[in-house]
Amino acid sequence: MKVDADGFSFDFTDALDAFVFDEKDKTKPTYHGQPMKAVDIIAEFPDAYIFVEMKDFNDPAAYDTKDFSTEEELKAKRAGFKWLKNYLKYKCRDTYLFRHAEQKAEKPIHYICLLTFDNALNTAVRKTLSKELPVGLASKRWKQELVKSCQVVNVAKWNENFPKWPVSHTPGTGEA
Amino acid sequence: MLEKIKFEKFTAFEKLEVKFSPGINIFVGENGTGKTHILKVAYAACDIAKSKGGFAEKINNVFYPSGKQIGRLVKRSSVSSNGSLEVVRKLDDGKKIALRLSLSNHTTKPDKAKISGSPKAWTESPMEAAYIPVKDMMANAPGFRSLYEEREIHFEEIYVDIIRKAFLPLLKGPTDKPRKQLLESLQEAMDGKVVAKNEEFFLRSKHGELEFTLLAEGFRKMGLLWILIQNGTLLNGSVLFWDEPETNLNPRLMKTVVGILLELQRLGVQIFLTTHDYVILKEFDLQTKKDDNILFHSLYRTKDTGEIEVASTDDYLKLSPNAIDDTFGSIVDREIEKSMEGLGK
């Protein structure tokens, strides 16, 4: 099942369904149209859903808060990192709400962010994002999870770990 | 300035050629891919340009093979074999000269190894070089030099060499402005400056003088860098070799250290580093300016032959394979394995 979005082409070969979740085309049955944040793609499998959000960065270093030369730079980077974290967090939460209203949040959900960072920086984003989403049964009062897991990977790691869902940059979008 | 290095059947290398940056060369790779060996050979070549000693003997002293049998540096093989190495250097007038060492696994003594290329021209143009080893030697300095001269002790020569460099007297005349600034940033990071008394080093701060044995190892390393800058070892045209600068250094201090190394490069010092550390790599990636010269060299073993090869790039993001980031990659893999239970596989 092929899906193109935001400069990436996916093939979810074993999916029951896969579609652009933040669909802007009003003529399509999957048109989103609500004032809510939305992940790029949802794919459904017999025992799980995956939410996929992609972001292709020109300057990954702009989000790396471990490395900085001046206090201003650190401030800007912290702001950048916080923006990115919030961007990914609220997209996932709003998408969950939308799916809840659709009565399509009954299976475990895995949230996968495809970011063009190196593995080290992706690991840092994953740690913060997992904590704030939050992942799993975060509260003792919760009976079900919002998301079962959160992963942050680059294209190479995606393809290594999800061979049934190959991804590549869509030809003509500036990346090979 | 060193331009390139070539090996054939020497230590871990079957056949390898590495072209150097005139600025900073950063070697990454898993353990056993020969990063330190490259540094040691290049250092030996630089050192004899000034000391005018024998190249084979210097190589033997910095590697210290068992029984000091130089032939043991030939790559191990089931049959008799010959090994060689070559270092190419560019002189100030632009002329390139080479220094070659050839030996067999049966060569027992350095004077039986063959030296070719331009050994005479090599020593006619001296160059200053310093090699900072992984293990700190500053705290062990008292008496170590004389012990090394008098007795046969099992230490690679790089250890005594760095102590010798540290005890060099100050340059005559006032310290020029750029070096003064470098010294000041180091003093700020260490909260003091280094003084030597009777072969012993102390960090002098507003709280008093603290002997190096009582200092954190990271500060000892910064102190050593301070000394090498202060006594003029690291001047334009000199070469600095630093094996794993990150060892015992607080990640917060890396920013200062990398900034100083970049500045030394801008002053004309050629630098060779090995590292296993992500923060160091990223610091170079982030602090590099447009006209800086940096090459990242990734040493790796090929999957088919198992031999060591090198991939060099000036763009950190294009460094591949990247043994350091691959370690983070393996954490990503294990995390996915653990929490997604085979989905998408």
Side-chain angles (χ1 to χ4, degrees):
Chain A
M1 205 160 283
K2 294 189 177 174
V3 185
D4 280 11
D6 265 14
F8 292 94
S9 300
F10 295 84
D11 189 1
F12 297 98
T13 59
D14 60 341
L16 302 174
D17 192 13
F19 59 96
V20 173
F21 178 69
D22 61 347
E23 185 58 73
K24 290 169 185 74
D25 184 347
K26 288 186 180 174
T27 64
K28 294 201 171 161
T30 50
Y31 171 59
H32 187 281
Q34 295 308 312
M36 302 166 89
K37 310 256 181 222
V39 300
D40 294 315
I41 294 171
I42 288 182
E44 183 180 357
F45 302 89
D47 300 313
Y49 291 108
I50 61 166
F51 291 180
V52 183
E53 176 61 31
M54 295 89 76
K55 195 108 187 82
D56 197 349
F57 297 96
N58 292 323
D59 182 15
Y63 300 90
D64 192 345
T65 54
K66 270 191 209 144
D67 294 284
F68 56 91
S69 306
T70 61
E71 287 305 314
E72 287 78 45
E73 194 189 338
L74 176 64
K75 231 171 163 178
K77 285 190 168 187
R78 277 194 179 141
F81 190 84
K82 192 175 165 194
W83 172 85
L84 173 64
K85 179 199 70 191
N86 286 341
Y87 173 90
L88 298 170
K89 177 169 77 180
Y90 294 124
K91 279 198 166 210
C92 182
R93 286 197 198 152
D94 268 13
T95 301
Y96 181 88
L97 287 175
F98 193 110
R99 295 292 280 171
H100 171 79
E102 281 188 290
Q103 295 190 329
K104 287 198 169 156
E106 80 290 4
K107 300 178 193 177
I109 297 163
H110 300 277
Y111 183 32
I112 315 177
C113 300
L114 180 64
L115 308 183
T116 49
F117 287 159
D118 62 18
N119 292 313
L121 194 45
N122 277 342
T123 310
V125 176
R126 183 196 166 274
K127 184 182 163 196
T128 311
L129 190 58
S130 299
K131 203 165 143 192
E132 294 194 15
L133 273 168
V135 162
L137 289 173
S139 164
K140 281 183 184 163
R141 293 162 56 187
W142 288 14
K143 301 290 177 228
Q144 78 179 73
E145 300 155 335
L146 287 177
V147 289
K148 187 172 169 60
S149 85
C150 162
Q151 316 297 344
V152 183
V153 294
N154 54 33
V155 173
K157 273 288 145 211
W158 176 292
N159 283 323
E160 272 175 51
N161 282 286
F162 309 121
K164 285 185 180 163
W165 313 331
V167 63
S168 58
H169 284 279
T170 311
T173 55
E175 286 275 350
Chain B
M1 184 200 87
L2 298 181
E3 195 154 274
K4 68 175 176 185
I5 200 162
K6 272 161 87 171
F7 298 95
E8 252 181 73
K9 294 193 189 304
F10 186 82
T11 61
F13 310 114
E14 182 61 29
K15 195 170 186 175
L16 186 82
E17 177 174 330
V18 190
K19 290 193 175 103
F20 299 139
S21 156
I24 299 178
N25 294 275
I26 302 166
F27 291 87
V28 300
E30 289 176 8
N31 284 329
T33 49
K35 300 183 294 297
T36 302
H37 290 189
I38 294 176
L39 258 61
K40 280 183 169 177
V41 169
Y43 166 71
C46 291
D47 184 79
I48 61 137
K50 191 173 183 201
S51 71
K52 313 211 186 298
F55 187 37
E57 190 170 357
K58 189 71 194 179
I59 290 280
N60 209 25
N61 288 344
V62 298
F63 278 95
Y64 216 113
S66 177
K68 277 220 167 170
Q69 290 183 56
I70 194 167
R72 293 183 62 82
L73 298 177
V74 173
K75 187 167 183 272
R76 299 296 147 82
S77 148
S78 51
V79 289
S80 290
S81 54
N82 296 311
S84 68
L85 58 87
E86 180 183 276
V87 185
V88 177
R89 172 185 172 199
K90 197 166 154 187
L91 300 176
D92 293 342
D93 60 7
K95 200 177 153 200
K96 290 177 189 176
I97 54 171
L99 188 61
R100 262 188 301 275
L101 169 76
S102 315
L103 69 170
S104 95
N105 63 327
H106 299 300
T107 312
T108 49
K109 295 203 165 98
D111 57 3
K112 303 284 181 207
K114 190 181 162 203
I115 303 293
S116 55
S118 314
K120 194 161 172 276
W122 196 276
T123 50
E124 277 167 359
S125 311
M127 61 204 294
E128 196 65 67
Y131 187 110
I132 306 181
V134 181
K135 288 192 253 310
D136 162 69
M137 289 305 288
M138 302 298 286
N140 306 96
F144 187 80
R145 275 190 305 172
S146 45
L147 181 68
Y148 190 88
E149 309 299 350
E150 286 165 20
R151 307 267 171 172
E152 185 71 24
I153 54 171
H154 204 97
F155 264 89
E156 294 129 88
E157 201 165 43
I158 48 168
Y159 292 106
V160 69
D161 280 358
I162 195 63
I163 294 176
R164 285 179 187 139
K165 302 273 177 199
F167 280 114
L168 285 175
L170 284 185
L171 274 189
K172 279 184 183 162
T175 311
D176 55 79
K177 204 174 158 204
R179 284 197 302 132
K180 214 169 170 180
Q181 279 175 351
L182 291 180
L183 291 172
E184 279 167 6
S185 11
L186 275 168
Q187 277 162 222
E188 204 179 304
M190 299 186 296
D191 195 22
K193 55 166 81 172
V194 183
V195 288
K197 285 181 191 170
N198 302 326
E199 293 221 337
E200 205 174 342
F201 292 103
F202 297 83
L203 183 74
R204 180 184 286 163
S205 70
K206 56 179 184 243
H207 309 295
E209 283 178 3
L210 208 55
E211 46 274 53
F212 263 45
T213 45
L214 298 180
L215 276 185
E217 285 220 15
F219 282 137
R220 293 180 203 170
K221 282 197 159 176
M222 294 192 96
L224 176 58
L225 194 58
W226 189 92
I227 291 167
L228 296 174
I229 294 171
Q230 196 222 22
N231 71 15
T233 300
L234 299 177
L235 287 179
N236 181 13
S238 65
V239 190
L240 170 66
F241 299 88
W242 198 344
D243 203 359
E244 298 179 17
E246 68 269 19
T247 311
N248 299 317
L249 209 58
N250 179 328
R252 279 197 157 272
L253 296 175
M254 302 283 191
K255 189 185 122 201
T256 308
V257 168
V258 169
I260 283 167
L261 293 174
L262 279 164
E263 204 50 54
L264 284 170
Q265 168 250 178
R266 288 171 201 138
L267 297 174
V269 178
Q270 192 180 20
I271 297 171
F272 294 80
L273 303 175
T274 71
T275 187
H276 290 287
D277 188 74
Y278 174 72
V279 179
I280 287 217
L281 280 186
K282 282 297 280 186
E283 281 293 348
F284 275 109
D285 182 39
L286 292 169
Q287 292 191 44
T288 300
K289 291 183 185 160
K290 204 172 120 256
D291 293 327
D292 289 332
N293 281 309
I294 296 200
L295 266 185
F296 298 95
H297 306 279
S298 168
L299 292 161
Y300 61 97
R301 287 185 187 273
T302 59
K303 279 193 181 131
D304 47 346
T305 63
E307 298 300 346
I308 297 166
E309 290 194 2
V310 66
S312 305
T313 172
D314 59 0
D315 181 354
Y316 162 74
L317 282 176
K318 292 196 178 125
L319 182 64
S320 174
N322 179 344
I324 297 169
D325 196 51
D326 291 347
T327 308
F328 285 95
S330 120
I331 294 171
V332 172
D333 294 342
R334 283 154 56 204
E335 191 61 57
I336 292 173
E337 184 75 39
K338 187 179 161 196
S339 54
M340 291 189 63
E341 296 163 344
L343 204 58
K345 289 259 184 222

